[in-house]
């Protein structure tokens, strides 16, 4: 990774008729303790002017209003293009039905700083209604069964340990074939 003295992050949220979820997510993002991040909310042509209503309640967000529902991927692509135009060093895709801990972003950025070979990281994702159980610790492709599996699926957090399974890994890092959530380091080679 090229040295970035002041890393910046764009957190992209896609909303489509999910006002209550998105409000809760945005409220949790207000408590994030990482100093340099922006929130890009892509509203996918929600009913009832949700994008405008969210912007009024959360003036700190950057709002993009699509004229049609482009789906989750399409909405994220719109947000990613906008973030790249803004010149941020890192992009995070965050589901709008997520509630984050104040230190989550700083901890993920610390992992990038500790290992310049990282290109993508994800936090341990827990169930919102049962935060003692894991929703995703990433995923692995299992060729013998021809499908992917989610690591940590429904395991108790207290019992889960990241297993070292790649060169130079440790310190809570785990190689996965795909993340359950995305956080991209744009400068990784």
């Amino acid at each position: 990774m090229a040295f970035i003295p002041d890393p910046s992050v764009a957190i992209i949220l896609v909303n489509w008729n999910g006002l209550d979820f998105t409000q809760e997510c945005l409220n949790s993002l207000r408590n994030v303790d990482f100093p340099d991040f922006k929130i890009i909310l892509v509203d996918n042509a929600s009913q009832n002017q949700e994008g405008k209503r969210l912007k009024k309640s959360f003036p700190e967000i950057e709002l993009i209003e699509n004229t049609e529902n482009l789906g989750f991927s399409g909405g994220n692509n719109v947000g990613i293009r906008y973030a790249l135009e803004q010149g941020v060093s890192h992009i995070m895709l965050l589901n709008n039905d997520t509630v984050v801990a104040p230190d989550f972003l700083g901890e993920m950025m610390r992992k990038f700083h500790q290992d310049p070979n990282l290109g993508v990281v994800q936090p341990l994702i827990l169930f919102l209604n049962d935060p003692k159980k894991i929703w995703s610790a990433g995923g692995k492709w299992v060729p013998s069964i021809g499908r992917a599996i989610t690591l940590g699926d429904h395991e108790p957090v207290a019992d889960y340990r990241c297993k070292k399974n790649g060169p130079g890994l440790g310190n809570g890092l785990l190689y996965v074939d795909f993340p359950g959530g995305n956080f991209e380091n744009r400068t990784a080679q």
Side-chain angles (χ1 to χ4, degrees), residues 3-15:
F3 178 72
I4 301 172
D6 296 312
S8 58
V9 179
I11 298 175
I12 299 169
L13 295 174
V14 175
N15 179 68

Side-chain angles (χ1 to χ4, degrees), residues 8-69:
S8 58
V9 179
I11 298 175
I12 299 169
L13 295 174
V14 175
N15 179 68
W16 182 69
N17 298 325
L19 183 68
D20 292 339
F21 285 126
T22 304
Q23 286 175 324
E24 191 172 2
C25 181
L26 289 169
N27 276 323
S28 74
L29 286 168
R30 279 184 165 165
N31 297 316
V32 169
D33 58 14
F34 188 77
D36 190 8
F37 74 98
K38 63 175 71 180
I39 301 164
I40 300 169
L41 176 71
V42 180
D43 187 76
N44 257 345
S46 296
Q47 300 171 358
N48 302 317
Q49 305 269 327
E50 285 188 9
K52 287 180 176 49
R53 292 168 62 194
L54 288 162
K55 179 68 175 174
K56 185 175 180 182
S57 297
F58 300 91
E60 68 272 21
I61 67 173
E62 296 184 31
L63 175 63
I64 299 171
E65 292 183 289
N66 290 334
T67 56
E68 62 181 311
N69 183 356

Side-chain angles (χ1 to χ4, degrees), residues 9-11 20 58 62 70 73 76-78 80 82 84 92-94 113 129-130 144 162 167 177 182 184:
V9 179
I11 298 175
D20 292 339
F58 300 91
E62 296 184 31
L70 301 177
S73 296
N76 274 308
N77 286 339
V78 168
I80 290 168
Y82 179 80
L84 292 173
M92 176 173 201
L93 306 180
L94 186 65
H113 182 72
N129 63 350
D130 190 0
S144 62
C162 286
D177 294 328
N182 290 332
E184 175 188 356

Side-chain angles (χ1 to χ4, degrees), residues 80-99:
I80 290 168
R81 279 192 289 277
Y82 179 80
L84 292 173
E85 291 168 3
Q86 303 299 309
V88 298
S89 62
H90 295 74
I91 295 172
M92 176 173 201
L93 306 180
L94 186 65
N95 287 358
N96 68 324
D97 62 349
T98 303
V99 174

Side-chain angles (χ1 to χ4, degrees), residues 131-173:
K132 294 182 180 182
K133 286 194 178 174
I134 297 171
W135 182 81
S136 175
K140 283 285 187 183
W141 178 255
V142 183
S144 62
I145 61 173
R147 62 174 278 218
I149 60 167
T150 299
L151 301 173
D153 189 26
H154 287 83
E155 288 186 37
V157 172
D159 297 342
Y160 190 75
R161 301 287 177 258
C162 286
K163 290 97 179 161
K164 181 178 177 182
N165 68 345
L169 289 182
N171 195 25
L173 295 178

